[in-house]
Amino acid sequence: MGISLEDVSFSYGMEKIIEHINFTFEKGKTYVLLGCSGVGKSTLLSLLKGFNQPEAGRIIYEETAQEQVEVVFQDQQLFPWQTVFQTVEMPLRIKKMPKNERKTKVENLLKELDLINSSAKFSGKLSGGQKQRTAMARGLVTEPDFLLLDEPTSSLDPQTKERAQALILSEQKRRKNTVITVTHDVEESAFLGEIILIMTAAGFSVLKNPTVHLPERRESVAFYEFCIELRSLLKEENR
Ligand SMILES: Nc1ncnc2c1ncn2[C@@H]1O[C@H](COP(=O)(O)OP(=O)(O)OP(=O)(O)O)[C@@H](O)[C@H]1O
């Protein structure tokens, strides 16, 4: 059960981006989309969210309403006139969650993402990393069945990046939702994805991550070996 792409193709005008892709994103799993710049990773997220429609084929949402798909794009799309708190609270207001519940939920998430001291700042006044974490909090707050993250940690410093990655995984384990992350970062892929999809113009190569169940895996030899394997596969695919 999940979201299935059946023979999906998509073009921007004359430029063919995605051609005849078949794949099922299963509920409760974590996926990473890797691939060279411009191959169509963000476009695929737009298709999954329903911002774009396939020109051929179809996308089937099995047991998941399309509203249960949340996407956090690279360019964050924050409103400069909203504070951090208001930005993260907004999806809960739309869902008509009671005020006290909203406050607790938003504040807990802001604490986890080290944003609580910036809670009253306007989005237009935030640093790149703060904007990225605010956008991530807005994506996480509704606990969607499918969370699509487009380069979620690209402007974070190494320590905040690791904390954000750990938060993404701990939330995913708690909620048992599906997380699909687009990244260029091989270590991030090996940490966040049970299944890695290397995307090329010809489609996907699918790899299972052998390190997901290892304790302290960031420090393990197997983790580094898997990163090396991913790097060399990426080089081959992009040749
Ligand atoms: N709205 C648009 N209109 C026309 N062309 C677009 C549009 N958005 C993206 N493209 C083109 O589609 C192709 C795929 O873009 P996309 O952003 O999906 O790639 P990507 O793999 O996510 O790249 P990156 O890793 O650099 O973010 C690129 O050639 C891009 O220029």
Side-chain angles (χ1 to χ4, degrees):
M1 292 299 117
I3 304 181
S4 295
L5 304 167
E6 277 189 9
D7 210 23
V8 167
S9 299
F10 180 81
S11 309
Y12 288 114
M14 299 299 283
E15 189 185 3
K16 285 191 188 309
I17 309 292
I18 286 168
E19 286 194 85
H20 305 293
I21 280 189
N22 289 286
F23 191 76
T24 297
F25 291 97
E26 289 177 30
K27 184 112 191 280
K29 296 205 164 160
T30 58
Y31 297 86
V32 161
L33 272 174
L34 267 173
C36 65
S37 184
V39 77
K41 302 180 295 297
S42 305
T43 302
L44 183 62
L45 297 191
S46 288
L47 286 164
L48 290 169
K49 173 66 186 163
F51 289 149
N52 287 316
Q53 301 305 316
E55 69 186 27
R58 57 186 190 143
I59 301 179
I60 302 160
Y61 299 85
E62 292 159 282
E63 288 188 2
T64 295
Q66 207 176 21
E67 306 85 71
Q68 272 300 321
V69 181
E70 198 59 65
V71 63
V72 180
F73 278 115
Q74 243 171 313
D75 56 7
Q76 295 128 9
Q77 297 166 335
L78 302 179
F79 299 120
W81 59 85
Q82 280 188 327
T83 64
V84 169
F85 187 93
Q86 287 165 341
T87 304
V88 181
E89 186 194 27
M90 190 173 66
L92 302 181
R93 288 178 82 114
I94 293 168
K95 289 191 164 210
K96 301 200 186 324
M97 183 182 276
K99 192 173 176 182
N100 281 351
E101 242 177 88
R102 285 197 317 252
K103 188 169 181 293
T104 312
K105 202 168 171 59
V106 172
E107 283 181 350
N108 284 342
L109 199 51
L110 294 184
K111 275 183 205 148
E112 284 184 89
L113 283 164
D114 208 9
L115 282 167
I116 196 72
N117 295 331
S118 310
S119 167
K121 270 195 185 172
F122 286 96
S123 301
K125 306 257 175 191
L126 299 173
S127 71
Q130 288 169 331
K131 282 183 187 161
Q132 201 163 32
R133 280 177 284 143
T134 304
M136 198 191 299
R138 186 180 54 187
L140 286 168
V141 79
T142 55
E143 306 188 3
D145 284 349
F146 280 77
L147 180 62
L148 318 181
L149 301 170
D150 197 356
E151 301 191 39
T153 68
S154 58
S155 30
L156 303 183
D157 64 78
Q159 276 175 335
T160 317
K161 183 185 273 235
E162 283 200 9
R163 274 181 30 223
Q165 290 167 346
L167 178 68
I168 293 168
L169 272 199
S170 64
E171 284 293 305
Q172 188 276 333
K173 288 208 170 81
R174 191 172 67 80
R175 285 272 302 142
K176 298 187 174 32
N177 61 349
T178 307
V179 177
I180 306 172
T181 308
V182 165
T183 181
H184 288 279
D185 181 331
V186 164
E187 277 83 13
E188 179 159 275
S189 307
F191 187 72
L192 289 183
E194 299 174 62
I195 295 154
I196 318 288
L197 303 170
I198 299 185
M199 194 170 172
T200 64
F204 294 145
S205 305
V206 183
L207 266 105
K208 278 200 171 159
N209 185 341
T211 74
V212 277
H213 300 300
L214 297 178
E216 303 291 330
R217 61 201 174 93
R218 271 195 207 272
E219 318 304 329
S220 71
V221 172
F223 185 83
Y224 279 94
E225 284 174 348
F226 187 53
C227 290
I228 292 167
E229 185 186 345
L230 284 178
R231 256 189 216 103
S232 70
L233 280 170
L234 264 177
K235 265 192 203 153
E236 260 172 50
E237 297 283 2
N238 294 333
R239 228 174 249 157

